[in-house]
Every structure is written in structure tokens, then in C-alpha cells.
Amino acid sequence: MVERTPILNFFTHLILLLGFIVAVGPLAIVAIAASHNIADVNKVPMSLIPGSDFWVNMKTAWTTAGLGPKLLNSLIFATGVAVGKVLISAITAFSLVYFRYPGRHFIFWLIFITLMLPLEVRIVPTYAVAANVLSPFQGVLDITGITWLIAKLTGIEVSLNLGLLNSSIGLILPLVATATGTFLYRQFFLTIPDELAEAARMDGAGALRFFVDILLPLSRTNMAALGTIMFLWAWNQYLWPLLVTTDPTHITAVHELKSLIPNFGGLPEWHIAMAGTLIIMIPPLAVVVLMQRWVVRGMIATEK
């Protein structure tokens, strides 16, 4: 039962207003700072009345940081990570729920434990793998003595080396596995009646057809919600692109934002930095606006 009284309505609207101010306030300050000139933006306190140099600052930020190709790199990176996480987590959860093989519960808990290992904790081994994807296989060959045997028999020294640094694949591939997505998909698949799988089997549908034609359409809201969240997560990544990309042609927009940080020896150009921040925020904001309905449906799972 929902109780409606004037006092409760007042406090409800007051809390909503405070939440709105907290959420929109920083964005409004960034927009106002982006509209000032260098003298006005460095006044203390800064005027909260918008200035007249908004479009000039936006153009300067765009050209100074070369944001066109950087935004494209970010779009490729974030989209690749989001699509990869959705697909990998769906396939992994499908295997854990619908296939009976020894150790699947143990595998699930191993995946679940990785929730406690954020990227910052495992970034060194992840970087080592990205620097040479074949290094684990090289280690197996060295440990088993196969490298030594091949060298003795043929005189050929086996050295496997495939680096992914400074490439879009190197940015995307190490981040596509997600324990959160696997857990969410597993919980959703467990809510689907077993009779549905039995009916599909009686109609002659194999595992792949059941997954593609039945499970994926049923989980489209979950895919939209997870994909949107992962897109935003990947778009805001700074540390991983900073390590993996040293070639300017592969730098992402968030990484490039540092070039707009105030210069040395003069007045800080915060108005240009804020204008660049606004430009970089536009794509994720557009994704959130476009996907809002699907995200809400995926979160509350009304169509399960």
C-alpha cells in the first residue's frame, strides 16, 4: 500500500529535487565554465552566469585535441567491449545452466570469485598477456620440454610471439570476459522453465538453435541493459588504454583529454578543458538516452 499525505509528498519531492541538483549540478558547472573566456573562468569564485564563448571553446577543444579520430577510437573500443561482454557472458551462462558436465559448479564459482578482482588489481598480468598472447603456450612448450626436443631434432628455436599492443584488438580482447554479466545471465536462464527446453528438444532443435532462436530473444532486455552498462564502463576507461596504446592513432578520447589540461607557466585553460569534457560526454549521454527504456526493462526484468 502506498501512503499519500501532503507531508510525505513534500519530502518525496524535496528528495527528488536534491537528487536532481546533485546529479545535474556538476554538469551545469562544466557547461558554464566551457562558455567563459580564460580570464572569467579563472576568477574565484567563478561566475555562474554563462558566458558568450561556448562555441569558440568547443571548436578550440575539438581542433587542439584532434577529437574526431579519438572519439572514433573510443566508439570502436567501447562498442567492441560491450558486444564482446554480452556474447561471452551469454554463451558462458548457457553452458553452465544447460549442460551437465563435471565441475561446472566449481567453474561458476571460480568465475564468480573474479568479481573481487577489478581490472586495476590484475592489470599487470593482463598487460603481459596482451604484450604476447602466445606466452602461456610458450610456457607449456618450455615446461614439457617440447621446445628443447624440437631444437635438438631440427635446430629450430621455437619462440612464440604475438603482441596486441597498439591495436584495437589489444584494447578490446582482454576486457571481454565479465563475471557480472555471466552471473546475471545465469540467474535469468535459471528462471526459464525446463519445459521450454524439453519442447524445443521434441521439435528437433539442437543446443545452438535453442540458444539463438529462443534464449537470446527472451533475454534481449538483459542484453540491452548489460551492453549499455558495459559501453559506459569501457568508454570511461583511462588506465587500460593508457598502458596499451602508445601510438597516437589508437589513443581514445578520454585518454586524450589530458592534452587539454591547463598549460604550464600561464593561466590555466579550464574553459577549453571543460569544453573538451562536454564533447567527450556526448556519445555516452546519447547512448543512455536512446537505451533508457531497455535498460530499465532489463533491470526490473518485467518480461521474464
Side-chain angles (χ1 to χ4, degrees), residues 209-255:
R209 186 175 178 185
F210 175 68
F211 176 69
V212 174
D213 291 346
I214 298 177
L215 287 184
L216 288 186
L218 285 175
S219 58
R220 60 182 182 278
T221 54
N222 302 73
M223 296 171 66
L226 180 64
T228 303
I229 293 172
M230 293 305 167
F231 179 90
L232 299 179
W233 176 82
W235 185 276
N236 292 324
Q237 280 295 312
Y238 179 79
L239 183 58
W240 179 246
L242 177 66
L243 288 177
V244 175
T245 56
T246 54
D247 186 350
T249 58
H250 292 92
I251 290 178
T252 61
V254 175
H255 184 193

Short mmCIF file of all heavy atoms in Angstrom, two decimals, residues 209-255:
data_model
loop_
_atom_site.label_atom_id
_atom_site.label_comp_id
_atom_site.label_asym_id
_atom_site.label_seq_id
_atom_site.Cartn_x
_atom_site.Cartn_y
_atom_site.Cartn_z
N ARG A 209 20.48 -23.96 -31.85
CA ARG A 209 19.22 -23.34 -32.29
C ARG A 209 18.39 -22.90 -31.08
O ARG A 209 17.75 -21.86 -31.11
CB ARG A 209 18.43 -24.34 -33.14
CG ARG A 209 17.19 -23.71 -33.75
CD ARG A 209 16.48 -24.66 -34.67
NE ARG A 209 15.25 -24.06 -35.21
CZ ARG A 209 14.38 -24.72 -35.96
NH1 ARG A 209 14.61 -25.99 -36.28
NH2 ARG A 209 13.30 -24.11 -36.41
N PHE A 210 18.38 -23.70 -30.01
CA PHE A 210 17.67 -23.31 -28.80
C PHE A 210 18.25 -22.03 -28.23
O PHE A 210 17.51 -21.13 -27.79
CB PHE A 210 17.77 -24.44 -27.77
CG PHE A 210 17.18 -24.10 -26.44
CD1 PHE A 210 15.81 -23.90 -26.29
CD2 PHE A 210 17.99 -23.95 -25.32
CE1 PHE A 210 15.26 -23.57 -25.06
CE2 PHE A 210 17.46 -23.63 -24.09
CZ PHE A 210 16.09 -23.44 -23.96
N PHE A 211 19.58 -21.90 -28.27
CA PHE A 211 20.24 -20.71 -27.74
C PHE A 211 19.94 -19.48 -28.60
O PHE A 211 19.60 -18.41 -28.07
CB PHE A 211 21.75 -20.96 -27.68
CG PHE A 211 22.55 -19.77 -27.24
CD1 PHE A 211 22.47 -19.30 -25.93
CD2 PHE A 211 23.38 -19.11 -28.13
CE1 PHE A 211 23.21 -18.20 -25.54
CE2 PHE A 211 24.11 -18.01 -27.74
CZ PHE A 211 24.04 -17.56 -26.45
N VAL A 212 20.04 -19.64 -29.92
CA VAL A 212 19.89 -18.48 -30.82
C VAL A 212 18.42 -18.08 -31.00
O VAL A 212 18.08 -16.90 -30.94
CB VAL A 212 20.53 -18.79 -32.19
CG1 VAL A 212 20.25 -17.67 -33.18
CG2 VAL A 212 22.03 -19.00 -32.03
N ASP A 213 17.54 -19.07 -31.19
CA ASP A 213 16.15 -18.77 -31.54
C ASP A 213 15.24 -18.57 -30.33
O ASP A 213 14.17 -17.96 -30.46
CB ASP A 213 15.57 -19.89 -32.41
CG ASP A 213 16.21 -19.93 -33.78
OD1 ASP A 213 16.88 -18.95 -34.14
OD2 ASP A 213 16.07 -20.95 -34.49
N ILE A 214 15.62 -19.06 -29.17
CA ILE A 214 14.73 -18.97 -28.01
C ILE A 214 15.35 -18.14 -26.88
O ILE A 214 14.75 -17.18 -26.41
CB ILE A 214 14.37 -20.38 -27.51
CG1 ILE A 214 13.61 -21.13 -28.61
CG2 ILE A 214 13.53 -20.31 -26.23
CD1 ILE A 214 13.25 -22.54 -28.28
N LEU A 215 16.55 -18.52 -26.46
CA LEU A 215 17.13 -17.84 -25.29
C LEU A 215 17.51 -16.39 -25.59
O LEU A 215 17.22 -15.49 -24.78
CB LEU A 215 18.34 -18.61 -24.79
CG LEU A 215 18.06 -19.93 -24.07
CD1 LEU A 215 19.37 -20.53 -23.55
CD2 LEU A 215 17.10 -19.71 -22.91
N LEU A 216 18.16 -16.16 -26.71
CA LEU A 216 18.60 -14.79 -27.00
C LEU A 216 17.42 -13.82 -27.17
O LEU A 216 17.46 -12.71 -26.62
CB LEU A 216 19.50 -14.78 -28.25
CG LEU A 216 20.90 -15.38 -28.06
CD1 LEU A 216 21.74 -15.17 -29.31
CD2 LEU A 216 21.61 -14.77 -26.85
N PRO A 217 16.35 -14.18 -27.91
CA PRO A 217 15.20 -13.25 -27.96
C PRO A 217 14.57 -13.01 -26.59
O PRO A 217 14.14 -11.89 -26.30
CB PRO A 217 14.23 -13.97 -28.90
CG PRO A 217 15.09 -14.82 -29.77
CD PRO A 217 16.19 -15.29 -28.87
N LEU A 218 14.52 -14.04 -25.75
CA LEU A 218 13.94 -13.85 -24.42
C LEU A 218 14.78 -12.91 -23.55
O LEU A 218 14.26 -12.25 -22.67
CB LEU A 218 13.78 -15.20 -23.72
CG LEU A 218 12.64 -16.10 -24.20
CD1 LEU A 218 12.69 -17.44 -23.49
CD2 LEU A 218 11.29 -15.43 -23.99
N SER A 219 16.08 -12.90 -23.80
CA SER A 219 16.99 -12.12 -22.95
C SER A 219 17.42 -10.82 -23.62
O SER A 219 18.44 -10.25 -23.25
CB SER A 219 18.21 -12.95 -22.60
OG SER A 219 18.88 -13.37 -23.77
N ARG A 220 16.63 -10.30 -24.57
CA ARG A 220 17.06 -9.09 -25.28
C ARG A 220 17.12 -7.87 -24.35
O ARG A 220 17.98 -7.00 -24.52
CB ARG A 220 16.14 -8.81 -26.46
CG ARG A 220 14.69 -8.59 -26.12
CD ARG A 220 13.87 -8.38 -27.40
NE ARG A 220 12.47 -8.11 -27.11
CZ ARG A 220 11.55 -9.04 -26.85
NH1 ARG A 220 11.91 -10.32 -26.86
NH2 ARG A 220 10.30 -8.70 -26.62
N THR A 221 16.21 -7.78 -23.36
CA THR A 221 16.28 -6.64 -22.45
C THR A 221 17.52 -6.73 -21.55
O THR A 221 18.14 -5.71 -21.24
CB THR A 221 15.02 -6.57 -21.58
OG1 THR A 221 14.84 -7.83 -20.93
CG2 THR A 221 13.80 -6.26 -22.42
N ASN A 222 17.86 -7.97 -21.15
CA ASN A 222 19.07 -8.15 -20.35
C ASN A 222 20.31 -7.78 -21.18
O ASN A 222 21.26 -7.16 -20.67
CB ASN A 222 19.20 -9.60 -19.89
CG ASN A 222 18.00 -10.02 -19.07
OD1 ASN A 222 16.92 -10.21 -19.60
ND2 ASN A 222 18.18 -10.15 -17.76
N MET A 223 20.29 -8.16 -22.46
CA MET A 223 21.42 -7.82 -23.33
C MET A 223 21.54 -6.32 -23.49
O MET A 223 22.65 -5.77 -23.45
CB MET A 223 21.22 -8.49 -24.70
CG MET A 223 21.24 -9.99 -24.67
SD MET A 223 20.74 -10.72 -26.24
CE MET A 223 22.07 -10.19 -27.29
N ALA A 224 20.40 -5.63 -23.64
CA ALA A 224 20.44 -4.17 -23.81
C ALA A 224 20.96 -3.49 -22.54
O ALA A 224 21.78 -2.57 -22.61
CB ALA A 224 19.05 -3.65 -24.15
N ALA A 225 20.49 -3.95 -21.37
CA ALA A 225 20.93 -3.35 -20.11
C ALA A 225 22.42 -3.60 -19.87
O ALA A 225 23.18 -2.66 -19.56
CB ALA A 225 20.11 -3.91 -18.96
N LEU A 226 22.84 -4.85 -20.05
CA LEU A 226 24.24 -5.18 -19.82
C LEU A 226 25.14 -4.48 -20.84
O LEU A 226 26.20 -3.94 -20.49
CB LEU A 226 24.44 -6.69 -19.90
CG LEU A 226 25.87 -7.20 -19.69
CD1 LEU A 226 26.34 -6.87 -18.29
CD2 LEU A 226 25.95 -8.70 -19.94
N GLY A 227 24.70 -4.46 -22.11
CA GLY A 227 25.50 -3.80 -23.14
C GLY A 227 25.66 -2.32 -22.88
O GLY A 227 26.74 -1.76 -23.06
N THR A 228 24.60 -1.67 -22.43
CA THR A 228 24.68 -0.23 -22.15
C THR A 228 25.62 0.06 -20.98
O THR A 228 26.46 0.96 -21.05
CB THR A 228 23.27 0.31 -21.82
OG1 THR A 228 22.40 0.04 -22.92
CG2 THR A 228 23.32 1.81 -21.57
N ILE A 229 25.48 -0.73 -19.92
CA ILE A 229 26.35 -0.52 -18.75
C ILE A 229 27.81 -0.75 -19.11
O ILE A 229 28.70 0.02 -18.72
CB ILE A 229 25.90 -1.45 -17.60
CG1 ILE A 229 24.52 -1.03 -17.11
CG2 ILE A 229 26.90 -1.40 -16.45
CD1 ILE A 229 23.91 -2.00 -16.13
N MET A 230 28.07 -1.80 -19.88
CA MET A 230 29.45 -2.10 -20.25
C MET A 230 30.00 -1.08 -21.24
O MET A 230 31.20 -0.80 -21.25
CB MET A 230 29.54 -3.52 -20.83
CG MET A 230 29.25 -4.59 -19.80
SD MET A 230 30.33 -4.42 -18.35
CE MET A 230 29.55 -5.51 -17.17
N PHE A 231 29.14 -0.54 -22.10
CA PHE A 231 29.59 0.52 -23.01
C PHE A 231 30.06 1.73 -22.21
O PHE A 231 31.12 2.28 -22.50
CB PHE A 231 28.45 0.90 -23.95
CG PHE A 231 28.80 1.99 -24.92
CD1 PHE A 231 29.34 1.69 -26.17
CD2 PHE A 231 28.61 3.33 -24.59
CE1 PHE A 231 29.67 2.69 -27.07
CE2 PHE A 231 28.95 4.35 -25.48
CZ PHE A 231 29.48 4.02 -26.72
N LEU A 232 29.27 2.13 -21.22
CA LEU A 232 29.65 3.28 -20.40
C LEU A 232 30.93 2.98 -19.63
O LEU A 232 31.81 3.84 -19.49
CB LEU A 232 28.51 3.62 -19.43
CG LEU A 232 27.18 4.01 -20.08
CD1 LEU A 232 26.15 4.30 -19.00
CD2 LEU A 232 27.35 5.21 -20.98
N TRP A 233 31.05 1.75 -19.11
CA TRP A 233 32.26 1.38 -18.36
C TRP A 233 33.50 1.46 -19.25
O TRP A 233 34.53 2.00 -18.86
CB TRP A 233 32.08 -0.03 -17.80
CG TRP A 233 33.29 -0.56 -17.10
CD1 TRP A 233 33.66 -0.31 -15.82
CD2 TRP A 233 34.29 -1.42 -17.66
NE1 TRP A 233 34.84 -0.97 -15.54
CE2 TRP A 233 35.24 -1.66 -16.64
CE3 TRP A 233 34.45 -2.03 -18.90
CZ2 TRP A 233 36.35 -2.47 -16.85
CZ3 TRP A 233 35.56 -2.83 -19.11
CH2 TRP A 233 36.50 -3.04 -18.09
N ALA A 234 33.37 0.91 -20.46
CA ALA A 234 34.52 0.91 -21.36
C ALA A 234 34.85 2.32 -21.84
O ALA A 234 36.02 2.69 -21.97
CB ALA A 234 34.24 -0.01 -22.55
N TRP A 235 33.81 3.12 -22.10
CA TRP A 235 34.05 4.49 -22.57
C TRP A 235 34.85 5.30 -21.55
O TRP A 235 35.70 6.10 -21.90
CB TRP A 235 32.72 5.18 -22.86
CG TRP A 235 32.88 6.54 -23.47
CD1 TRP A 235 33.08 7.72 -22.81
CD2 TRP A 235 32.87 6.87 -24.87
NE1 TRP A 235 33.20 8.76 -23.70
CE2 TRP A 235 33.07 8.27 -24.97
CE3 TRP A 235 32.71 6.13 -26.04
CZ2 TRP A 235 33.12 8.91 -26.20
CZ3 TRP A 235 32.76 6.78 -27.26
CH2 TRP A 235 32.96 8.15 -27.32
N ASN A 236 34.58 5.08 -20.27
CA ASN A 236 35.25 5.86 -19.21
C ASN A 236 36.60 5.28 -18.80
O ASN A 236 37.23 5.83 -17.90
CB ASN A 236 34.33 5.94 -17.98
CG ASN A 236 33.10 6.77 -18.25
OD1 ASN A 236 33.15 7.76 -18.97
ND2 ASN A 236 31.97 6.36 -17.69
N GLN A 237 37.02 4.18 -19.42
CA GLN A 237 38.30 3.59 -19.06
C GLN A 237 39.45 4.54 -19.41
O GLN A 237 39.51 5.08 -20.52
CB GLN A 237 38.50 2.27 -19.79
CG GLN A 237 37.78 1.11 -19.14
CD GLN A 237 38.31 0.80 -17.75
OE1 GLN A 237 39.51 0.68 -17.54
NE2 GLN A 237 37.42 0.69 -16.78
N TYR A 238 40.37 4.71 -18.47
CA TYR A 238 41.54 5.57 -18.71
C TYR A 238 42.85 4.78 -18.56
O TYR A 238 43.74 4.88 -19.39
CB TYR A 238 41.54 6.74 -17.72
CG TYR A 238 42.73 7.65 -17.87
CD1 TYR A 238 42.77 8.61 -18.87
CD2 TYR A 238 43.83 7.55 -17.01
CE1 TYR A 238 43.86 9.44 -19.03
CE2 TYR A 238 44.93 8.38 -17.16
CZ TYR A 238 44.94 9.33 -18.17
OH TYR A 238 46.01 10.14 -18.32
N LEU A 239 42.93 3.96 -17.49
CA LEU A 239 44.19 3.29 -17.18
C LEU A 239 44.58 2.27 -18.24
O LEU A 239 45.74 2.23 -18.69
CB LEU A 239 44.09 2.61 -15.81
CG LEU A 239 45.35 1.92 -15.30
CD1 LEU A 239 46.50 2.89 -15.22
CD2 LEU A 239 45.08 1.26 -13.95
N TRP A 240 43.60 1.42 -18.68
CA TRP A 240 43.94 0.37 -19.64
C TRP A 240 44.38 0.95 -20.99
O TRP A 240 45.43 0.55 -21.51
CB TRP A 240 42.76 -0.59 -19.78
CG TRP A 240 43.00 -1.68 -20.77
CD1 TRP A 240 42.36 -1.87 -21.96
CD2 TRP A 240 43.95 -2.74 -20.67
NE1 TRP A 240 42.86 -2.97 -22.60
CE2 TRP A 240 43.84 -3.52 -21.83
CE3 TRP A 240 44.91 -3.10 -19.71
CZ2 TRP A 240 44.62 -4.64 -22.06
CZ3 TRP A 240 45.70 -4.20 -19.94
CH2 TRP A 240 45.55 -4.96 -21.10
N PRO A 241 43.62 1.90 -21.59
CA PRO A 241 44.12 2.50 -22.83
C PRO A 241 45.46 3.22 -22.65
O PRO A 241 46.27 3.26 -23.58
CB PRO A 241 43.00 3.48 -23.22
CG PRO A 241 41.79 2.94 -22.58
CD PRO A 241 42.25 2.36 -21.28
N LEU A 242 45.69 3.79 -21.47
CA LEU A 242 46.95 4.48 -21.21
C LEU A 242 48.13 3.50 -21.29
O LEU A 242 49.21 3.84 -21.78
CB LEU A 242 46.91 5.13 -19.83
CG LEU A 242 48.19 5.84 -19.36
CD1 LEU A 242 48.48 7.04 -20.23
CD2 LEU A 242 48.05 6.26 -17.91
N LEU A 243 47.93 2.26 -20.81
CA LEU A 243 49.01 1.27 -20.83
C LEU A 243 49.19 0.64 -22.20
O LEU A 243 50.32 0.41 -22.66
CB LEU A 243 48.72 0.17 -19.79
CG LEU A 243 48.87 0.55 -18.32
CD1 LEU A 243 48.47 -0.62 -17.44
CD2 LEU A 243 50.29 0.99 -18.01
N VAL A 244 48.08 0.34 -22.86
CA VAL A 244 48.15 -0.49 -24.07
C VAL A 244 48.49 0.34 -25.31
O VAL A 244 49.15 -0.15 -26.22
CB VAL A 244 46.80 -1.23 -24.27
CG1 VAL A 244 46.79 -1.99 -25.58
CG2 VAL A 244 46.57 -2.18 -23.12
N THR A 245 48.06 1.59 -25.34
CA THR A 245 48.26 2.39 -26.55
C THR A 245 49.30 3.48 -26.32
O THR A 245 49.12 4.36 -25.47
CB THR A 245 46.94 3.06 -26.97
OG1 THR A 245 46.43 3.84 -25.89
CG2 THR A 245 45.91 2.02 -27.35
N THR A 246 50.38 3.39 -27.06
CA THR A 246 51.37 4.47 -27.11
C THR A 246 51.39 5.12 -28.48
O THR A 246 51.96 6.20 -28.64
CB THR A 246 52.78 3.93 -26.79
OG1 THR A 246 53.06 2.83 -27.68
CG2 THR A 246 52.85 3.44 -25.36
N ASP A 247 50.77 4.44 -29.46
CA ASP A 247 50.65 5.01 -30.81
C ASP A 247 49.51 6.03 -30.81
O ASP A 247 48.38 5.69 -30.45
CB ASP A 247 50.35 3.87 -31.79
CG ASP A 247 50.35 4.37 -33.23
OD1 ASP A 247 50.41 5.59 -33.43
OD2 ASP A 247 50.30 3.53 -34.14
N PRO A 248 49.78 7.28 -31.23
CA PRO A 248 48.71 8.31 -31.20
C PRO A 248 47.49 7.94 -32.03
O PRO A 248 46.39 8.43 -31.75
CB PRO A 248 49.41 9.54 -31.78
CG PRO A 248 50.86 9.32 -31.53
CD PRO A 248 51.07 7.84 -31.62
N THR A 249 47.63 7.07 -33.02
CA THR A 249 46.48 6.73 -33.87
C THR A 249 45.48 5.83 -33.15
O THR A 249 44.37 5.65 -33.64
CB THR A 249 46.96 6.02 -35.14
OG1 THR A 249 47.69 4.84 -34.77
CG2 THR A 249 47.83 6.93 -35.97
N HIS A 250 45.85 5.26 -32.01
CA HIS A 250 44.95 4.38 -31.27
C HIS A 250 44.51 4.95 -29.92
O HIS A 250 43.85 4.27 -29.14
CB HIS A 250 45.60 3.01 -31.04
CG HIS A 250 45.78 2.21 -32.29
ND1 HIS A 250 46.93 2.26 -33.04
CD2 HIS A 250 44.94 1.38 -32.96
CE1 HIS A 250 46.81 1.47 -34.09
NE2 HIS A 250 45.61 0.93 -34.06
N ILE A 251 44.88 6.18 -29.64
CA ILE A 251 44.53 6.79 -28.35
C ILE A 251 43.03 7.09 -28.31
O ILE A 251 42.45 7.55 -29.29
CB ILE A 251 45.35 8.07 -28.13
CG1 ILE A 251 46.81 7.70 -27.87
CG2 ILE A 251 44.81 8.88 -26.96
CD1 ILE A 251 47.71 8.90 -27.69
N THR A 252 42.42 6.84 -27.16
CA THR A 252 40.98 7.09 -27.00
C THR A 252 40.74 8.54 -26.57
O THR A 252 41.67 9.25 -26.16
CB THR A 252 40.39 6.14 -25.97
OG1 THR A 252 41.03 6.35 -24.71
CG2 THR A 252 40.56 4.69 -26.39
N ALA A 253 39.46 8.95 -26.64
CA ALA A 253 39.12 10.35 -26.33
C ALA A 253 39.37 10.68 -24.86
O ALA A 253 39.89 11.76 -24.54
CB ALA A 253 37.66 10.60 -26.68
N VAL A 254 39.01 9.76 -23.96
CA VAL A 254 39.22 10.02 -22.53
C VAL A 254 40.71 10.14 -22.23
O VAL A 254 41.13 10.99 -21.43
CB VAL A 254 38.59 8.89 -21.70
CG1 VAL A 254 38.90 9.06 -20.22
CG2 VAL A 254 37.07 8.87 -21.90
N HIS A 255 41.51 9.33 -22.89
CA HIS A 255 42.96 9.40 -22.72
C HIS A 255 43.51 10.73 -23.25
O HIS A 255 44.37 11.36 -22.64
CB HIS A 255 43.61 8.22 -23.44
CG HIS A 255 45.09 8.14 -23.26
ND1 HIS A 255 45.89 7.33 -24.02
CD2 HIS A 255 45.92 8.78 -22.40
CE1 HIS A 255 47.14 7.48 -23.65
NE2 HIS A 255 47.19 8.34 -22.65
#
